[in-house]
């Protein structure tokens, strides 16, 4: 049987590269993509390599970046253009293989196992892809190569991104010498919090985890620990799939507020709008959720405050006011009454909307469910602000501001 060859294709500084391709005069100047500096969104979304050389990092505040690099060029995000470029990249990849799986807006998996007879070795295919993307979009691609998605991802993140040619092949029989000496933070899916837990158990490298008894790891951290142990051994059975996004585990929506929100009444206006959007997305996916999660971040950057809590409802729902009622319970229970700057709502425990539990005491519930789908049709046809709740007419509302954006940023 032919050995699998999987690619993870990642775009270098994707948003910044798209902007540089538009503003050719700034090719040799450090450039960042940032939200509005007058609002909470004034953080770095993407930095070009020249900006990164000056010490600028994604996620830091714009004024901090400007202090590091006084001649910094700042441009606002244009999300529709990034989406269009991402789709164009997908078309390029699909000219090589029909097995292309988007992982994020700037990362895509490819199975090129059976493309080698047409395009040559894995390295030749990687160079071909890089050339096509760069010549058509002026964006540089890095390619991680492996026998499965986990190896391809770690090949890209830990090695290809640091190589001049942007290509690295992480072979399974070489991971003990190549991958295991690296810090545990470099393990795919480890994350900062999990890495800290592992370090406290004297597991400091990927090899330390790989050499630990898997039963001990599973007992301590459950299935997630076992998956990390498998990742350390380069084991991954998930195929590159065209339908991988269909098995959605949760649907959520959040936003950073334009100012500190102090009053409960103001917070609940935005909370209702977020519940509305989450339920609309849930109905669009033809599912219902049973667990509502509310996340809140405090207004202070220096002292981290807030909470992330969830509540399981008696039965699955995609009715806005039902989700909102339970979200308000979480807010009333866990909010410390300090100013907040960010809200996030999500629904998990998703089930099909085709099976609805009938309730003898609430005969009108099925009509309420159907009402949600009918209002969605109006909004789909006439726009997000064509039908809004009365609460969204209050000054605290963000619904009109958000309607003009894609992914939280202006189109």
């Amino acid at each position: 049987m032919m050995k699998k060859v999987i690619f993870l294709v990642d775009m270098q500084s994707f948003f910044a590269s798209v902007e540089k391709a538009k503003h050719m005069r700034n090719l040799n100047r450090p450039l960042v993509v940032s939200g509005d500096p007058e609002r909470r969104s004034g953080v770095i979304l993407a930095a070009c390599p020249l900006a990164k050389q000056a010490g600028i990092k994604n996620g830091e505040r714009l004024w901090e970046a400007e202090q590091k690099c006084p001649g910094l060029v700042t441009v606002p995000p244009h999300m529709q253009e990034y989406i269009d470029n991402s789709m164009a990249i997908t078309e390029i990849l699909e000219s090589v293989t029909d097995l292309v799986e988007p992982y994020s807006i700037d990362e895509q998996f490819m199975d090129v196992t059976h493309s080698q007879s047409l395009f040559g070795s894995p390295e030749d295919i990687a160079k071909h892809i890089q050339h096509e993307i760069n010549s058509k979009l002026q964006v540089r691609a890095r390619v991680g190569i492996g026998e499965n998605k986990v190896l391809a991802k770690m090949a890209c993140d830990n090695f290809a991104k640091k190589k001049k040619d942007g290509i690295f092949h992480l072979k399974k029989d070489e991971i003990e010498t190549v991958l295991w000496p690296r810090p545990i933070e470099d393990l795919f899916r480890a994350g900062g919090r999990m890495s800290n837990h592992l370090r406290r158990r004297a597991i400091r490298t990927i090899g330390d985890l790989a050499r630990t008894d898997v039963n001990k790891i599973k007992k301590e951290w459950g299935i997630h620990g076992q998956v990390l142990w498998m990742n350390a051994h380069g084991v991954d059975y998930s195929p590159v799939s065209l339908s991988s996004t269909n098995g959605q585990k949760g649907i959520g929506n959040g936003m950073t507020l334009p100012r500190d929100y102090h009053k409960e009444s103001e917070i609940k206006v935005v909370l209702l709008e977020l519940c509305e959007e989450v339920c609309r997305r849930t109905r669009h996916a033809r599912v219902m959720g049973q667990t509502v999660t509310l996340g809140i971040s405090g207004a202070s950057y220096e002292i981290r405050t807030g909470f992330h809590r969830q509540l399981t409802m008696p039965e699955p729902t995609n009715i806005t006011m039902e989700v909102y009622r339970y979200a308000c319970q979480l807010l009333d229970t866990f909010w410390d009454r300090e100013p907040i700057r960010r809200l996030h709502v999500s629904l998990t425990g998703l089930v099909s909307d085709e099976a609805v539990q009938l309730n003898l005491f609430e005969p009108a519930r099925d009509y309420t469910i159907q009402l949600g789908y009918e209002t969605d049709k109006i909004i789909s046809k006439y726009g997000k602000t064509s039908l809004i709740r009365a609460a969204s007419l209050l000054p605290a509302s963000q619904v009109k501001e958000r309607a003009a954006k894609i992914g939280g940023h202006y189109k």
Side-chain angles (χ1 to χ4, degrees):
M1 184 180 292
M2 184 179 293
K3 186 181 291 186
K4 286 278 187 183
V5 180
I6 309 298
F7 284 8
L8 188 279
V9 184
D10 169 82
M11 304 304 121
Q12 182 183 46
S13 306
F14 184 47
F15 293 0
S17 296
V18 173
E19 296 296 340
K20 278 206 165 185
K22 286 163 44 185
H23 307 284
M24 298 297 288
R25 65 184 183 278
N26 293 320
L27 278 178
N28 297 316
R29 298 180 63 188
L31 179 146
V32 296
V33 178
S34 173
D36 186 350
E38 301 301 322
R39 297 168 61 94
R40 289 283 188 183
S41 53
V43 297
I44 304 302
L45 302 175
C48 77
L50 289 175
K52 289 178 179 177
Q53 288 175 17
I56 296 172
K57 299 178 181 178
N58 292 350
E60 72 177 317
R61 285 169 285 183
L62 179 57
W63 67 266
E64 294 175 319
E66 290 173 334
Q67 286 184 334
K68 294 178 180 178
C69 187
L72 190 64
V73 176
T74 305
V75 296
H78 300 92
M79 293 306 298
Q80 188 60 57
E81 293 181 17
Y82 309 149
I83 293 170
D84 292 343
N85 274 264
S86 182
M87 293 175 68
I89 290 166
T90 301
E91 290 183 5
I92 292 171
L93 303 186
E94 287 177 341
S95 70
V96 175
T97 174
D98 59 343
L99 293 174
V100 177
E101 177 186 327
Y103 184 65
S104 67
I105 194 170
D106 63 347
E107 293 179 289
Q108 306 195 44
F109 286 108
M110 303 173 63
D111 186 335
V112 300
T113 306
H114 299 289
S115 301
Q116 296 176 80
S117 58
L118 291 174
F119 295 94
S121 69
E123 287 73 17
D124 288 337
I125 298 174
K127 290 176 183 176
H128 168 74
I129 289 169
Q130 286 180 322
H131 176 265
E132 289 296 298
I133 294 173
N134 190 57
S135 62
K136 294 178 180 177
L137 301 171
Q138 290 77 56
V139 175
R140 182 171 185 257
R142 287 82 61 90
V143 183
I145 308 171
E147 296 176 27
N148 54 51
K149 292 197 287 188
V150 161
L151 287 175
K153 174 67 172 169
M154 291 193 289
C156 186
D157 289 351
N158 297 318
F159 303 102
K161 290 182 179 181
K162 299 174 176 65
K163 289 191 65 184
K164 187 175 182 180
D165 65 358
I167 299 172
F168 189 84
H169 193 161
L170 181 57
K171 299 176 181 177
K172 196 168 183 180
D173 57 4
E174 296 176 351
I175 62 173
E176 190 169 340
T177 56
V178 176
L179 185 66
W180 285 10
R182 301 190 68 85
I184 192 64
E185 289 80 6
D186 288 351
L187 180 64
F188 181 43
R189 297 193 182 100
R193 183 176 297 179
M194 188 63 184
S195 296
N196 289 334
H197 288 318
L198 292 168
R199 281 188 172 275
R200 283 198 289 269
R201 302 297 194 279
I203 298 174
R204 299 182 177 86
T205 67
I206 296 176
D208 290 339
L209 178 62
R211 287 185 285 266
T212 303
D213 183 0
V214 65
N215 293 314
K216 180 180 177 182
I217 296 296
K218 190 174 179 180
K219 182 179 179 180
E220 183 82 19
W221 292 291
I223 295 298
H224 181 55
Q226 182 179 358
V227 170
L228 290 178
W229 184 89
M230 292 173 65
N231 289 351
H233 283 272
V235 176
D236 179 22
Y237 300 111
S238 60
V240 174
S241 172
L242 304 179
S243 59
S244 64
T245 56
N246 292 342
Q248 212 167 353
K249 294 182 179 180
I251 295 174
N253 196 236
M255 74 167 298
T256 300
L257 300 168
R259 57 178 173 82
D260 296 349
Y261 274 42
H262 301 259
K263 298 179 181 178
E264 181 178 344
S265 58
E266 290 185 325
I267 296 169
K268 287 188 174 179
V269 169
V270 178
L271 183 58
L272 176 57
E273 292 172 350
L274 289 176
C275 290
E276 186 84 83
E277 181 62 27
V278 169
C279 287
R280 187 179 298 125
R281 293 180 183 182
T282 306
R283 292 190 293 265
H284 180 74
R286 305 298 307 192
V287 294
M288 295 182 168
Q290 190 157 8
T291 299
V292 58
T293 301
L294 176 62
I296 279 183
S297 298
S300 173
Y301 284 100
E302 286 70 32
I303 302 174
R304 298 292 182 182
T305 59
F307 64 86
H308 188 86
R309 300 283 182 166
Q310 63 184 35
L311 183 63
T312 299
M313 299 175 284
E315 53 192 337
T317 185
N318 56 24
I319 299 174
T320 297
M321 293 311 296
E322 289 185 359
V323 174
Y324 173 67
R325 184 168 68 249
Y326 288 100
C328 285
Q329 284 187 29
L330 290 168
L331 179 70
D332 295 339
T333 303
F334 298 105
W335 181 39
D336 59 8
R337 297 319 191 250
E338 292 295 322
I340 72 169
R341 64 180 173 88
R342 182 169 175 79
L343 282 167
H344 187 275
V345 176
S346 65
L347 276 176
T348 54
L350 302 181
V351 297
S352 171
D353 67 350
E354 294 181 359
V356 179
Q357 178 66 48
L358 297 178
N359 191 324
L360 294 175
F361 303 102
E362 294 183 64
R365 187 170 187 268
D366 55 338
Y367 294 109
T368 306
I369 292 172
Q370 189 58 37
L371 179 62
Y373 289 98
E374 295 304 318
T375 57
D376 290 347
K377 291 177 183 178
I378 296 172
I379 289 170
S380 176
K381 186 174 182 179
Y382 296 106
K384 288 186 176 180
T385 58
S386 60
L387 197 61
I388 61 174
R389 295 181 182 271
S392 293
L393 298 174
L394 296 171
S397 170
Q398 294 297 306
V399 70
K400 291 183 179 179
E401 178 85 8
R402 291 168 62 79
K405 296 180 178 181
I406 296 177
H409 303 286
Y410 288 105
K411 304 171 186 179

